[in-house]
Amino acid sequence: MNQNQFLIALVVLACFIFGGNCAPPDNANVTVKDYCIKETGVSGEKVKKMEDESLEELDEDCYCYLHCIFITLKLIDDKGNLDVTKTLKEFPDFDEECLKKVPKIMECTDIAAVDDCES
């Protein structure tokens, strides 16, 4: 499994942990997945390929979708800081010291920095 596939698997796992029904506080009837598809404009087909790991390479649309997931799950604050404690709680396979060094995640593609923290 490459790093992109690992990150995708972790995001899918997080949505599963939250029952697929974790949603932004202002809309309790929308899943995080559906919310982030709508917010980012990524196609449902591309998300499905990400989930089943058949997508060869992640592009900016994919990174924006993953960025939305991390923000919605409150793993990234509004200043772009990754919450290491919350991230480790959801994804214990990440390397803590590496996560502490992840720079601010302000742009969609910045979420790729988390890939390097796979243990």
Side-chain angles (χ1 to χ4, degrees):
M1 179 181 297
N2 69 34
Q3 289 179 345
N4 288 336
Q5 291 170 329
F6 181 76
L7 182 59
I8 292 166
L10 289 176
V11 170
V12 170
L13 175 63
C15 284
F16 176 75
I17 289 169
F18 287 98
N21 291 317
C22 48
D26 61 336
N27 193 345
N29 294 324
V30 178
T31 66
V32 169
K33 176 181 174 179
D34 290 341
Y35 172 78
C36 289
I37 286 172
K38 182 178 178 187
E39 284 296 305
T40 63
V42 68
S43 72
E45 180 180 328
K46 189 176 278 188
V47 170
K48 181 167 177 25
K49 286 182 179 181
M50 289 170 60
E51 291 172 345
D52 66 19
E53 300 177 9
S54 67
L55 195 62
E56 290 293 320
E57 189 172 316
L58 298 180
D59 60 14
E60 188 169 355
D61 288 344
C62 297
Y63 285 126
C64 288
Y65 171 75
L66 294 172
H67 185 252
C68 178
I69 297 277
F70 270 63
I71 288 174
T72 304
L73 295 177
K74 299 186 186 330
L75 301 179
I76 301 170
D77 68 18
D78 59 350
K79 295 179 182 169
N81 298 306
L82 181 69
D83 186 318
V84 174
T85 303
K86 285 182 182 178
T87 302
L88 286 171
K89 191 174 188 179
E90 297 302 324
F91 310 117
D93 292 335
F94 279 129
D95 177 79
E96 181 175 3
E97 292 306 311
C98 178
L99 288 175
K100 288 178 181 178
K101 296 176 186 173
V102 169
K104 289 188 183 288
I105 302 172
M106 301 302 292
E107 303 290 327
C108 295
T109 54
D110 295 342
I111 197 76
V114 177
D115 282 344
D116 297 332
C117 297
E118 174 187 356
S119 294

